[in-house]
Amino acid sequence: MEKKIFIGAAWPYVNGDLHIGHLAGYLIPCDIFSRFSRLCGYETLMVSGTDCHGTPITLEADKKGVKPQDIVNEYTPKIHYLIKLYDISFDIFTATLTENHHKITQEFFLRLLKNGYIIKQKTLQYYSPLENKFLPDRYVEGKCSFCGAEGQRADQCEKCGRVLEPGQLINPLSNLTKKPVILKETDHYFLDYSKLQDKIERYVRENKHWKYWVYEETISWLKEGLKPRPITRDLDWGVKIPDQEIPETLRLEGSENKRFYVWFDAVIGYFSASVEWANKNNRDWREFWQNENCYHYYFMGKDNLIFHTIFWPGQIIGQEMNLNLPYFPCVNQFLFLEGQKFSKSRGIIIDSIEIGEKYGIDEVRFYISSILPENKDSDFKWKEFEQKINGELVDNLGNFIQRVLIFYRDKLDNRLLNKEIDNEIKNKIENTYFKVRKKLERCEMISSLKMIFELIKEGNKYLEKNEPWKKEKKDSEKIIFNSLLVIVNLSYLLNPFLPHFSKNLRKMINLEEINYQIGKDQFKINFEEIEKIKIADYQPLFRKIKL
RNA sequence: CGCGGGGUGGUGGAGUAGGACCACGCGGGUCUCAUAAGCCCGAGACGCCGGUGCAAAUCCGGCCCCCGCAACCA
């Protein structure tokens, strides 16, 4: 049976513009991986969408005095534009607002309920008598009962760092109305992870190929022991609880004012988006979700780690439907800007759309790819951005291509009679494919890119060593033939990283755009296309940038 | 002492006991097919303190710093 790849990229909240941290954290890595997978000939399904629920959205709405829906409407088009701009190869990019998603989330819940993984539990929550509703922790502030700091949020004191439980705030106020709030009992569903602990643990221990720190972090959570985790909260924005389908004795008190917790519904989006894709394309979601030859890759930032290595696998296992579990969670650390955390309020931010439009998509993709926070936090530096683009993209790659193509066109009249393969070059290209494939299978993007640039360097050395400009025509043809071999293969090797470059280069040398044909492995040395190379109008592929 | 991950030239990485390596950047030289590009040479580093070893970036102990779990946030 044919190997398939499923790719789930984290779902961005629609409560603000996306900055380059989002690009580095999951959008660019997942796109590199998806293009690589497609080049290898695997049928690939890549899904994501906007996460429209949760307190980040309602907070933003309350701050602006509008409805959550207005916030969603404001930011959704911008995110869609960004994805199109950077050519992120999603097969579907949907939203958690869809009817399909709400229905499937409810079905997930009902199956967990039926299978005995859901329990009801009462907890104490802050309640505003004035507004007649429960308030999430982030809406309540007061004095910390440990250190006495004023104006602290109900979940944690910033001053002393202590995590606060309900009731540990003195004189709690609603930060919407600034009126007092009280503690009141409230009824919620919990997903009882203690019942899933053994199965999750067995699953995790079978996956020692994860990044070391991802595996260790997950194991440390398991060692502490999993506890029931609330899946509903008192909020009027989100997926409703399907009361009609719940036996009366199991219903929640006041459930019409409760919604599923955003962590619970957001990850189900990976599945619901797949179903939506299947329906729209007349396909069967089981090909990707109930298929032992389908490997599931997920891309996210480290704050999402545990949701993808424990909570989401638990939700899947609890379905008891034999659904595919995550095979490789590609977790990235964080990207900083000149040593500081991104912060909208302090103006430490680079808007993904602005930088792409100003300096070029592949330019940004290239720099970000070379500094991805794969195993530890990394830093975006403007100076380095300029240096890397000018030094590597332009001087190394762009110039190599230009010196070969111009020579081929002007000195050899777009024709080669001597097509003798130089084994040294052939081996270097084959070796690069081999090593890059190994690396990309493990989502090691930085070192893959580095290896490809080593090949380009070899190309420049090859020209320097053989000096075609000093040779007789027959000899210089051989040198240029082998240099063109490098160039054609760069259009494949670099395709996952720099799709526009790959497309533009191929167009310029009279080759058709790469077609990701299912079942055909194109991630290997290609000799045939050199015959077809003709250069009419030469245009430099990269230009130096100046900040 | 809450738990987990991390700290190697200016920058980013490789290296789990025996010559500290690679890329970019920097300094110098050189070719001229090419986008003042290319190629060659050079300088420059193991967070701090202590321990074990013939020998420590690597093993052990203590400390400091950064990040996540857990703020506007991937």
Side-chain angles (χ1 to χ4, degrees):
Chain A
M1 188 120 165
E2 222 177 82
K3 180 168 168 181
K4 288 185 196 293
I5 302 286
F6 170 85
I7 301 171
W11 294 49
Y13 274 129
V14 277
N15 65 330
D17 295 323
L18 299 188
H19 54 69
I20 53 167
H22 297 86
L23 285 180
Y26 57 96
L27 290 174
I28 288 177
C30 79
D31 190 54
I32 293 170
F33 188 75
S34 120
R35 290 174 187 276
F36 164 68
S37 163
R38 293 175 210 269
L39 273 177
C40 291
Y42 306 137
E43 191 181 9
T44 303
L45 174 62
M46 181 157 95
V47 311
S48 187
T50 49
D51 186 348
C52 307
H53 301 137
T55 47
I57 315 283
T58 57
L59 270 174
E60 180 78 10
D62 288 328
K63 211 161 74 187
K64 292 190 171 170
V66 298
K67 292 198 159 65
Q69 183 69 53
D70 298 326
I71 297 295
V72 172
N73 293 344
E74 180 183 350
Y75 291 109
T76 299
K78 286 182 167 181
I79 293 177
H80 283 220
Y81 176 69
L82 176 78
I83 283 161
K84 201 171 159 224
L85 184 67
Y86 281 88
D87 221 345
I88 310 296
S89 49
F90 286 118
D91 296 286
I92 180 168
F93 189 83
T94 177
T96 56
L97 277 180
T98 64
E99 201 182 311
N100 171 66
H101 176 73
H102 282 233
K103 187 171 139 262
I104 287 175
T105 299
Q106 293 171 342
E107 288 168 2
F108 252 69
F109 165 76
L110 290 168
R111 250 176 258 121
L112 290 169
L113 185 71
K114 190 182 102 219
N115 295 338
Y117 294 111
I118 301 290
I119 55 176
K120 252 176 27 165
Q121 216 164 287
K122 287 194 192 303
T123 58
L124 285 174
Q125 276 287 317
Y126 289 104
Y127 179 84
S128 167
L130 192 75
E131 295 154 276
N132 194 25
K133 65 176 186 185
F134 284 98
L135 294 177
D137 291 345
R138 286 158 76 159
Y139 281 86
V140 176
E141 57 183 47
K143 185 170 157 185
C144 171
S145 58
F146 295 99
C147 69
E150 297 282 356
Q152 297 305 316
R153 288 209 336 233
D155 50 355
Q156 185 185 19
C157 173
E158 282 182 43
K159 192 87 182 233
C160 65
R162 297 192 75 140
V163 176
L164 302 177
E165 300 292 327
Q168 291 182 329
L169 217 48
I170 299 166
N171 298 327
L173 301 175
S174 157
N175 63 18
L176 295 177
T177 60
K178 305 293 172 198
K179 296 287 187 233
V181 296
I182 57 167
L183 275 177
K184 197 173 163 179
E185 215 170 48
T186 175
D187 213 10
H188 281 292
Y189 288 122
F190 285 65
L191 176 47
D192 190 356
Y193 277 100
S194 62
K195 289 197 187 107
L196 288 158
Q197 167 111 23
D198 289 350
K199 285 173 184 160
I200 295 173
E201 194 152 353
R202 204 170 315 135
Y203 154 71
V204 171
R205 291 196 186 276
E206 278 168 7
N207 281 286
K208 295 211 166 62
H209 61 276
W210 293 358
K211 291 182 188 183
Y212 175 76
W213 56 275
V214 171
Y215 184 81
E216 288 300 314
E217 173 84 16
T218 305
I219 291 291
S220 89
W221 272 73
L222 289 167
K223 274 188 192 150
E224 293 215 4
L226 302 179
K227 297 183 290 259
R229 193 180 166 88
I231 61 167
T232 52
R233 67 187 327 194
D234 298 286
L235 202 67
D236 53 12
W237 179 244
V239 178
K240 287 184 179 167
I241 294 153
D243 269 328
Q244 315 85 296
E245 336 258 334
I246 301 172
E248 220 161 304
T249 51
L250 295 174
R251 286 186 196 162
L252 292 181
E253 209 178 296
S255 69
E256 65 281 3
N257 295 320
K258 299 173 197 285
R259 296 292 183 274
F260 285 109
Y261 223 120
V262 68
W263 73 263
F264 181 79
D265 93 79
V267 284
I268 294 173
Y270 295 122
F271 180 78
S272 68
S274 306
V275 173
E276 186 183 337
W277 171 84
N279 290 341
K280 282 183 175 156
N281 294 280
N282 202 20
R283 294 283 298 265
D284 188 344
W285 57 265
R286 292 173 187 85
E287 292 174 43
F288 286 92
W289 282 90
Q290 286 179 335
N291 177 353
E292 59 181 17
N293 290 310
C294 183
Y295 293 81
H296 284 216
Y297 287 75
Y298 289 85
F299 292 79
M300 78 220 79
K302 63 179 161 183
D303 55 340
N304 259 318
L305 188 155
I306 222 65
F307 292 98
H308 291 77
T309 62
I310 290 184
F311 298 142
W312 174 228
Q315 286 167 267
I316 293 173
I317 292 168
Q319 298 299 301
E320 297 180 357
M321 280 174 69
N322 213 13
L323 296 175
N324 288 61
L325 285 159
Y327 170 73
F328 192 88
C330 180
V331 190
N332 280 302
Q333 307 253 2
F334 284 163
L335 183 69
F336 287 71
L337 174 54
E338 308 284 355
Q340 292 188 280
K341 262 189 139 172
F342 284 104
S343 164
K344 224 180 288 178
S345 52
R346 285 186 296 140
I348 300 165
I349 195 137
I350 299 175
D351 184 277
S352 294
I353 293 175
E354 280 173 28
I355 188 174
E357 287 179 338
K358 184 162 181 193
Y359 298 105
I361 297 311
D362 278 9
E363 281 79 353
V364 175
R365 284 182 62 122
F366 171 74
Y367 177 60
I368 300 274
S369 301
S370 73
I371 59 162
L372 290 175
E374 284 176 349
N375 291 306
K376 59 183 180 186
D377 298 332
S378 67
D379 207 9
F380 183 106
K381 297 191 198 72
W382 280 106
K383 181 107 190 351
E384 195 182 60
F385 174 71
E386 184 184 30
Q387 276 176 347
K388 285 235 183 192
I389 288 168
N390 291 342
E392 296 191 47
L393 270 190
V394 183
D395 293 348
N396 229 301
L397 174 60
N399 181 53
F400 171 67
I401 289 170
Q402 172 155 330
R403 61 198 298 209
V404 174
L405 295 187
I406 297 277
F407 196 98
Y408 174 68
R409 185 189 64 181
D410 294 351
K411 302 278 195 308
L412 301 177
D413 298 319
N414 278 320
R415 270 186 314 150
L416 294 170
L417 296 173
N418 185 1
K419 295 168 194 159
E420 191 187 331
I421 291 170
D422 194 318
N423 278 321
E424 197 188 326
I425 289 287
K426 175 177 165 266
N427 291 343
K428 276 178 179 152
I429 296 171
E430 283 179 333
N431 198 19
T432 304
Y433 273 110
F434 179 78
K435 288 191 297 188
V436 170
R437 182 188 289 258
K438 285 261 171 256
K439 291 281 180 191
L440 284 182
E441 277 169 358
R442 297 188 41 77
C443 298
E444 292 175 24
M445 321 282 175
I446 297 175
S447 53
S448 304
L449 190 57
K450 207 169 137 185
M451 282 169 184
I452 299 169
F453 272 77
E454 276 164 22
L455 177 66
I456 299 165
K457 214 173 166 57
E458 290 297 336
N460 272 319
K461 280 187 194 173
Y462 179 74
L463 287 177
E464 203 66 33
K465 202 172 93 192
N466 293 291
E467 302 179 302
W469 50 89
K470 283 187 182 167
K471 297 278 165 63
E472 307 237 332
K473 194 163 185 183
K474 186 165 171 274
D475 289 328
S476 59
E477 280 182 349
K478 176 186 171 186
I479 299 158
I480 295 303
F481 173 79
N482 285 282
S483 302
L484 287 172
L485 192 63
V486 174
I487 291 176
V488 165
N489 284 287
L490 282 174
S491 76
Y492 288 90
L493 282 163
L494 282 171
N495 176 274
F497 299 89
L498 310 172
H500 293 132
F501 156 80
S502 172
K503 185 175 164 184
N504 294 338
L505 167 66
R506 292 178 64 85
K507 193 172 167 196
M508 196 163 67
I509 62 179
N510 190 41
L511 300 179
E512 66 254 28
E513 202 176 326
I514 293 173
N515 176 7
Y516 299 123
Q517 297 167 56
I518 295 168
K520 187 177 170 197
D521 184 1
Q522 298 178 90
F523 206 73
K524 60 182 185 197
I525 192 161
N526 179 309
F527 296 103
E528 300 81 50
E529 292 183 325
I530 297 181
E531 307 280 337
K532 302 181 210 154
I533 296 180
K534 288 265 178 305
I535 300 130
D537 287 321
Y538 179 83
Q539 287 294 321
L541 292 159
F542 295 108
R543 293 280 189 188
K544 293 215 177 189
I545 63 161
K546 211 163 174 340
L547 295 181

